[in-house]
PDB file of all heavy atoms in Angstrom:
ATOM      1  N   ILE B  21      -8.350   0.032   5.589  1.00 96.00           N
ATOM      2  CA  ILE B  21      -9.100   0.916   6.394  1.00 96.00           C
ATOM      3  C   ILE B  21      -9.470   0.221   7.696  1.00 96.00           C
ATOM      4  O   ILE B  21      -9.381   0.854   8.825  1.00 96.00           O
ATOM      5  CB  ILE B  21     -10.386   1.347   5.694  1.00 96.00           C
ATOM      6  CG1 ILE B  21     -10.008   2.317   4.565  1.00 96.00           C
ATOM      7  CG2 ILE B  21     -11.387   2.012   6.657  1.00 96.00           C
ATOM      8  CD1 ILE B  21     -11.138   2.841   3.799  1.00 96.00           C
ATOM      9  N   PHE B  22      -9.840  -1.074   7.646  1.00 95.00           N
ATOM     10  CA  PHE B  22     -10.168  -1.867   8.845  1.00 95.00           C
ATOM     11  C   PHE B  22      -8.965  -1.896   9.778  1.00 95.00           C
ATOM     12  O   PHE B  22      -9.113  -1.667  11.016  1.00 95.00           O
ATOM     13  CB  PHE B  22     -10.558  -3.254   8.398  1.00 95.00           C
ATOM     14  CG  PHE B  22     -10.867  -4.162   9.526  1.00 95.00           C
ATOM     15  CD1 PHE B  22     -11.968  -4.026  10.279  1.00 95.00           C
ATOM     16  CD2 PHE B  22      -9.994  -5.196   9.852  1.00 95.00           C
ATOM     17  CE1 PHE B  22     -12.249  -4.872  11.321  1.00 95.00           C
ATOM     18  CE2 PHE B  22     -10.238  -6.050  10.866  1.00 95.00           C
ATOM     19  CZ  PHE B  22     -11.407  -5.905  11.586  1.00 95.00           C
ATOM     20  N   GLY B  23      -7.782  -2.077   9.216  1.00 94.00           N
ATOM     21  CA  GLY B  23      -6.569  -2.105  10.071  1.00 94.00           C
ATOM     22  C   GLY B  23      -6.348  -0.754  10.775  1.00 94.00           C
ATOM     23  O   GLY B  23      -5.886  -0.755  11.901  1.00 94.00           O
ATOM     24  N   ILE B  24      -6.549   0.333  10.004  1.00 94.00           N
ATOM     25  CA  ILE B  24      -6.328   1.648  10.628  1.00 94.00           C
ATOM     26  C   ILE B  24      -7.312   1.850  11.804  1.00 94.00           C
ATOM     27  O   ILE B  24      -6.907   2.382  12.847  1.00 94.00           O
ATOM     28  CB  ILE B  24      -6.538   2.778   9.584  1.00 94.00           C
ATOM     29  CG1 ILE B  24      -5.391   2.821   8.619  1.00 94.00           C
ATOM     30  CG2 ILE B  24      -6.644   4.126  10.225  1.00 94.00           C
ATOM     31  CD1 ILE B  24      -5.508   3.794   7.531  1.00 94.00           C
ATOM     32  N   ILE B  25      -8.524   1.408  11.639  1.00 93.00           N
ATOM     33  CA  ILE B  25      -9.531   1.612  12.724  1.00 93.00           C
ATOM     34  C   ILE B  25      -9.175   0.728  13.897  1.00 93.00           C
ATOM     35  O   ILE B  25      -9.279   1.159  15.065  1.00 93.00           O
ATOM     36  CB  ILE B  25     -10.918   1.368  12.229  1.00 93.00           C
ATOM     37  CG1 ILE B  25     -11.283   2.442  11.188  1.00 93.00           C
ATOM     38  CG2 ILE B  25     -11.970   1.457  13.344  1.00 93.00           C
ATOM     39  CD1 ILE B  25     -12.567   2.262  10.466  1.00 93.00           C
ATOM     40  N   VAL B  26      -8.842  -0.516  13.645  1.00 92.00           N
ATOM     41  CA  VAL B  26      -8.712  -1.471  14.693  1.00 92.00           C
ATOM     42  C   VAL B  26      -7.399  -1.359  15.503  1.00 92.00           C
ATOM     43  O   VAL B  26      -7.452  -1.417  16.732  1.00 92.00           O
ATOM     44  CB  VAL B  26      -8.813  -2.926  14.079  1.00 92.00           C
ATOM     45  CG1 VAL B  26      -8.279  -3.873  15.012  1.00 92.00           C
ATOM     46  CG2 VAL B  26     -10.255  -3.208  13.772  1.00 92.00           C
ATOM     47  N   SER B  27      -6.289  -1.110  14.802  1.00 89.00           N
ATOM     48  CA  SER B  27      -5.016  -1.260  15.503  1.00 89.00           C
ATOM     49  C   SER B  27      -4.685  -0.023  16.379  1.00 89.00           C
ATOM     50  O   SER B  27      -4.999   1.082  15.973  1.00 89.00           O
ATOM     51  CB  SER B  27      -3.859  -1.508  14.511  1.00 89.00           C
ATOM     52  OG  SER B  27      -3.920  -0.455  13.582  1.00 89.00           O
ATOM     53  N   ARG B  28      -4.087  -0.304  17.523  1.00 86.00           N
ATOM     54  CA  ARG B  28      -3.727   0.849  18.394  1.00 86.00           C
ATOM     55  C   ARG B  28      -2.234   1.072  18.322  1.00 86.00           C
ATOM     56  O   ARG B  28      -1.783   2.097  18.921  1.00 86.00           O
ATOM     57  CB  ARG B  28      -4.101   0.439  19.852  1.00 86.00           C
ATOM     58  CG  ARG B  28      -5.616   0.553  20.049  1.00 86.00           C
ATOM     59  CD  ARG B  28      -6.006  -0.018  21.359  1.00 86.00           C
ATOM     60  NE  ARG B  28      -5.212   0.441  22.452  1.00 86.00           N
ATOM     61  CZ  ARG B  28      -5.011  -0.191  23.609  1.00 86.00           C
ATOM     62  NH1 ARG B  28      -5.557  -1.364  23.759  1.00 86.00           N
ATOM     63  NH2 ARG B  28      -4.269   0.339  24.548  1.00 86.00           N
ATOM     64  N   ASN B  29      -1.470   0.251  17.663  1.00 88.00           N
ATOM     65  CA  ASN B  29      -0.035   0.477  17.485  1.00 88.00           C
ATOM     66  C   ASN B  29       0.183   1.362  16.294  1.00 88.00           C
ATOM     67  O   ASN B  29      -0.350   1.151  15.240  1.00 88.00           O
ATOM     68  CB  ASN B  29       0.642  -0.877  17.281  1.00 88.00           C
ATOM     69  CG  ASN B  29       2.081  -0.793  17.358  1.00 88.00           C
ATOM     70  OD1 ASN B  29       2.664   0.256  17.163  1.00 88.00           O
ATOM     71  ND2 ASN B  29       2.737  -1.906  17.659  1.00 88.00           N
ATOM     72  N   ALA B  30       0.999   2.412  16.540  1.00 90.00           N
ATOM     73  CA  ALA B  30       1.204   3.437  15.456  1.00 90.00           C
ATOM     74  C   ALA B  30       1.880   2.836  14.258  1.00 90.00           C
ATOM     75  O   ALA B  30       1.585   3.183  13.130  1.00 90.00           O
ATOM     76  CB  ALA B  30       1.976   4.615  16.021  1.00 90.00           C
ATOM     77  N   VAL B  31       2.779   1.897  14.489  1.00 91.00           N
ATOM     78  CA  VAL B  31       3.508   1.213  13.404  1.00 91.00           C
ATOM     79  C   VAL B  31       2.521   0.454  12.557  1.00 91.00           C
ATOM     80  O   VAL B  31       2.554   0.421  11.280  1.00 91.00           O
ATOM     81  CB  VAL B  31       4.605   0.303  13.914  1.00 91.00           C
ATOM     82  CG1 VAL B  31       5.313  -0.417  12.774  1.00 91.00           C
ATOM     83  CG2 VAL B  31       5.634   1.113  14.665  1.00 91.00           C
ATOM     84  N   LYS B  32       1.551  -0.238  13.201  1.00 92.00           N
ATOM     85  CA  LYS B  32       0.581  -1.008  12.486  1.00 92.00           C
ATOM     86  C   LYS B  32      -0.344  -0.141  11.661  1.00 92.00           C
ATOM     87  O   LYS B  32      -0.793  -0.537  10.567  1.00 92.00           O
ATOM     88  CB  LYS B  32      -0.202  -1.840  13.478  1.00 92.00           C
ATOM     89  CG  LYS B  32      -0.339  -3.298  13.045  1.00 92.00           C
ATOM     90  CD  LYS B  32      -1.039  -4.108  14.061  1.00 92.00           C
ATOM     91  CE  LYS B  32      -0.070  -5.061  14.692  1.00 92.00           C
ATOM     92  NZ  LYS B  32      -0.734  -6.086  15.495  1.00 92.00           N
ATOM     93  N   VAL B  33      -0.626   1.054  12.151  1.00 93.00           N
ATOM     94  CA  VAL B  33      -1.417   1.989  11.349  1.00 93.00           C
ATOM     95  C   VAL B  33      -0.718   2.394  10.095  1.00 93.00           C
ATOM     96  O   VAL B  33      -1.310   2.429   8.989  1.00 93.00           O
ATOM     97  CB  VAL B  33      -1.766   3.262  12.208  1.00 93.00           C
ATOM     98  CG1 VAL B  33      -2.412   4.304  11.345  1.00 93.00           C
ATOM     99  CG2 VAL B  33      -2.700   2.873  13.329  1.00 93.00           C
TER     100      VAL B  33
END
Side-chain angles (χ1 to χ4, degrees):
Chain B
I21 289 181
F22 178 72
I24 288 178
I25 294 172
V26 161
S27 54
R28 288 168 49 203
N29 191 335
V31 178
K32 226 175 250 192
V33 171

